[in-house]
Amino acid sequence: MMKSLFLFSAHPKPPLPPSPHLRKLLRRSASASASASSPPRSGRSPRPAHSRPRPPSPRTSSLYARPSLLDMERGRAARRADVDAFLASLGVDPGELAGLELPVTVDVMRERVEFLHSLGLSNDDLVAYPLALGCSVRKNMVPVLDYLGKLGVRQDSLPDLLRRYPQVLHASVVVDLAPVVMYLQGMDIRSADVPRVLERYPELLGFKLEGTMSTSVAYLVGIGVARRQIGCVITRFPEVLGMRVGKIIKPFVEYLEGIGLQRLAIARIIEKKPYILGFGLEDKVKHNIEALLEFGARKEALASIVAQYPDILGIELRDKLVTQQSLFESSILVSAEDFGRVIERMPPAISLGRAAVLKHVNFLTACGFLLSQVSKMVIACPQLLALNMDIMKMSFEYFQNEMERELEELVEFPAFFTYGLESTVRPRHEIVAKKGFTCSLAWLLNCSDAKFDERMKYDTIGIEEMEVENSFDMKTSSEQVEDEEEDEDLDEDSDYEDTDDEFIE
């Protein structure tokens, strides 16, 4: 009983402390439990409790160790500095490419530069447009060049195309290039002509379909350019697609209307020679019109002059007029006033070379004409100075030997030399001679074949005054423009000093 009371007493004796040996065992047991409860490292087995700890080893770089962000930034900056130094050695200002993603190594950048060199671009071209160095060869350049090659752009034209519009290297074939090509094909431009258009005006590849291209075409159709001729106009002068209607095309057309040309006549001129739209209105066209008036051309004849020779609007006219007026006055005795009549009747006369003029004058004087008579003939028919010399000789021999007429008749009607000997002169002369008619050269030649046949139905003929002077009919101005190309071929030796090559290829 006393024993049980002692066990449940309120003040029991404290337990005895563990022995040193027991404390050592408890510590080992606790350490083992902690190792077992913590997750083991991946790829490594937990170290046995009885193993000795390894001494700390010196810090070494591991293959799997990741550099810090600071180290990465320093390495990137060092590589970019090397690339910038390489670009500077080419003459390219690296500052213009700041913020642009470039190849990370000099070797890759060198390969890109060599590829651009293989396209025909020089270091100067890269300096002029350094953004080309930001184009990836595989992602940007190759797809664009492959597309242009499939269209038919010539290899030898590629360098000039890239120099004029290097932005094409950044373009997307699907988004940027293909829609422009489809638009050109929709304008009735032949597939074979599309690459020629792009070669001549590569800036076209950067235009938006709903912008200037559509409005310029719509305006040309509106003034009378035939819809079927639009393709030819664009092929000959693709720059028209980049011209603003309100600032360039419309003021040009309205100015020509102001000097007497009808709108439909202007449309016919544009169909044949669309490059006249590229003549600057303020700095070229207006000055040339003023020069014509200054050198004797009459205001009412300006429309005729432009319709016959549209190129006169764009050449360096004043200097030519000064030179030609001096030549005509000294060699043909043409006065300043009569020089204006020469220009009105044959505007291309301002481009005749001195040798050609003297050659024809010498031929006429050798035929027996006085210089005063030659002057009168040239004023009435300036085309004499541009005709093929062999044809003139055959016509004159037929006139003397077969027609047996006086030289004065040629002075009165010098246009005789402009008619075809076999097609017009000989057949008509033989018919008139067979009927026994006596008529002037003007009555014989200055009429259509239908009119001549009608005259031959009568047994006699009356005296008829023929108007030798060429008159200008606004309704037939389009025919005059078309006939000009044939008139330019009268002399195969090209007596003209200048040709249309400075305007069109």
Side-chain angles (χ1 to χ4, degrees):
M1 183 70 177
M2 293 295 295
K3 186 178 181 179
S4 61
L5 290 173
F6 175 78
L7 293 173
F8 295 95
S9 171
H11 302 284
K13 293 181 179 181
L16 296 175
S19 64
H21 179 67
L22 180 59
R23 286 197 299 270
K24 187 176 182 180
L25 292 177
L26 290 175
R27 283 197 301 269
R28 291 182 177 179
S29 176
S31 177
S33 300
S35 300
S37 61
S38 62
R41 295 183 180 179
S42 60
R44 296 184 182 181
S45 58
R47 187 171 55 186
H50 62 276
S51 63
R52 298 176 60 183
R54 296 180 180 177
S57 59
R59 186 173 181 179
T60 58
S61 60
S62 172
L63 181 63
Y64 300 97
R66 298 182 62 184
S68 65
L69 293 178
L70 181 59
D71 293 339
M72 293 174 62
E73 185 63 29
R74 288 174 178 172
R76 187 181 301 111
R79 290 190 295 270
R80 181 58 182 258
D82 293 339
V83 172
D84 288 348
F86 171 72
L87 295 178
S89 67
L90 302 177
V92 178
D93 182 8
E96 298 189 23
L97 299 174
L100 188 65
E101 184 178 355
L102 297 177
V104 295
T105 65
V106 174
D107 291 338
V108 178
M109 176 56 77
R110 183 179 290 107
E111 291 177 359
R112 184 173 295 185
V113 171
E114 291 175 352
F115 183 80
L116 291 170
H117 286 171
S118 69
L119 300 179
L121 300 180
S122 64
N123 288 342
D124 292 338
D125 298 325
L126 299 181
V127 171
Y129 189 74
L131 293 180
L133 296 168
C135 297
S136 170
V137 173
R138 288 183 296 177
K139 295 180 180 179
N140 300 112
M141 300 187 201
V142 170
V144 169
L145 297 174
D146 183 61
Y147 181 72
L148 295 177
K150 290 180 179 178
L151 287 177
V153 174
R154 295 169 294 189
Q155 185 69 29
D156 56 351
S157 300
L158 190 60
D160 184 62
L161 185 150
L162 295 178
R163 290 188 190 99
R164 293 181 56 185
Y165 189 64
Q167 294 89 339
V168 71
L169 295 175
H170 299 275
S172 166
V173 171
V174 176
V175 177
D176 302 318
L177 306 186
V180 173
V181 172
M182 293 178 63
Y183 176 84
L184 295 177
Q185 293 172 341
M187 291 291 103
D188 296 332
I189 297 178
R190 298 180 303 173
S191 297
D193 291 332
V194 169
R196 306 292 85 80
V197 171
L198 298 180
E199 290 171 2
R200 173 164 182 163
Y201 191 51
E203 293 87 348
L204 193 62
L205 293 169
F207 289 172
K208 301 301 180 183
L209 303 185
E210 65 277 4
T212 306
M213 291 197 296
S214 300
T215 55
S216 58
V217 169
Y219 181 81
L220 292 179
V221 173
I223 66 173
V225 175
R227 181 63 180 80
R228 65 180 181 276
Q229 294 294 329
I230 289 294
C232 296
V233 170
I234 297 175
T235 301
R236 294 177 180 178
F237 189 65
E239 291 86 349
V240 69
L241 294 177
M243 293 181 172
R244 294 186 179 275
V245 172
K247 292 185 177 181
I248 300 177
I249 303 178
K250 185 178 179 181
F252 184 88
V253 172
E254 290 177 348
Y255 182 78
L256 294 185
E257 287 181 304
I259 65 173
L261 279 166
Q262 292 183 357
R263 181 163 289 196
L264 189 59
I266 298 172
R268 298 289 87 80
I269 294 174
I270 292 175
E271 289 177 0
K272 295 296 181 181
K273 299 191 173 184
Y275 56 83
I276 67 169
L277 293 171
F279 299 155
L281 178 59
E282 297 296 333
D283 59 351
K284 186 68 67 175
V285 175
K286 290 184 177 180
H287 291 322
N288 285 359
I289 294 297
E290 293 172 358
L292 288 173
L293 295 173
E294 180 182 339
F295 281 82
R298 296 169 297 179
K299 187 176 182 180
E300 58 269 21
L302 292 176
S304 172
I305 294 173
V306 174
Q308 294 179 71
Y309 190 43
D311 294 338
I312 203 170
L313 297 174
I315 62 179
E316 296 294 336
L317 183 59
R318 188 175 298 275
D319 293 341
K320 286 182 177 293
L321 290 174
V322 171
T323 302
Q324 291 301 90
Q325 186 183 51
S326 175
L327 173 64
F328 276 61
E329 185 176 0
S330 61
S331 62
I332 321 178
L333 306 179
V334 174
S335 65
E337 182 180 356
D338 289 333
F339 181 68
R341 304 293 83 74
V342 171
I343 296 175
E344 292 175 2
R345 293 174 179 138
M346 184 187 170
I350 63 174
S351 297
L352 285 172
R354 178 181 181 86
V357 172
L358 297 179
K359 179 175 64 175
H360 288 79
V361 171
N362 293 337
F363 166 75
L364 292 174
T365 55
C367 291
F369 297 101
L370 300 176
L371 189 58
S372 59
Q373 292 177 316
V374 173
S375 176
K376 182 179 179 180
M377 294 170 69
V378 169
I379 294 172
C381 184
Q383 288 80 3
L384 291 177
L385 302 177
L387 294 173
N388 183 284
M389 191 67 68
D390 294 333
I391 294 177
M392 292 184 70
K393 290 178 180 178
M394 289 189 295
S395 296
F396 183 73
E397 290 175 358
Y398 184 81
F399 174 84
Q400 271 193 325
N401 300 331
E402 301 295 334
M403 301 180 74
E404 299 180 349
R405 292 173 177 255
E406 299 294 330
L407 291 181
E408 187 63 30
E409 292 196 57
L410 290 179
V411 176
E412 296 297 326
F413 190 69
F416 166 83
F417 290 100
T418 65
Y419 291 90
L421 176 60
E422 300 298 331
S423 62
T424 305
V425 176
R426 187 190 299 275
R428 292 189 181 187
H429 170 70
E430 291 178 351
I431 294 174
V432 169
K434 186 176 181 180
K435 284 183 170 287
F437 292 166
T438 300
C439 62
S440 66
L441 289 177
W443 189 93
L444 178 68
L445 300 174
N446 196 13
C447 63
S448 64
D449 289 339
K451 181 67 175 177
F452 180 79
D453 293 340
E454 182 180 349
R455 288 174 176 174
M456 293 300 100
K457 293 179 181 179
Y458 300 97
D459 295 333
T460 60
I461 59 174
I463 298 177
E464 215 172 324
E465 294 293 335
M466 304 301 296
E467 182 69 23
V468 177
E469 181 178 358
N470 294 329
S471 61
F472 178 66
D473 184 1
M474 291 299 300
K475 295 181 180 180
T476 60
S477 61
S478 61
E479 284 81 4
Q480 291 183 7
V481 174
E482 293 175 1
D483 293 341
E484 178 198 342
E485 294 182 357
E486 297 178 0
D487 293 339
E488 291 176 352
D489 295 332
L490 291 175
D491 192 347
E492 298 177 355
D493 297 332
S494 183
D495 291 330
Y496 295 95
E497 291 179 339
D498 298 319
T499 65
D500 295 344
D501 291 341
E502 71 177 287
F503 305 119
I504 57 175
E505 295 177 357

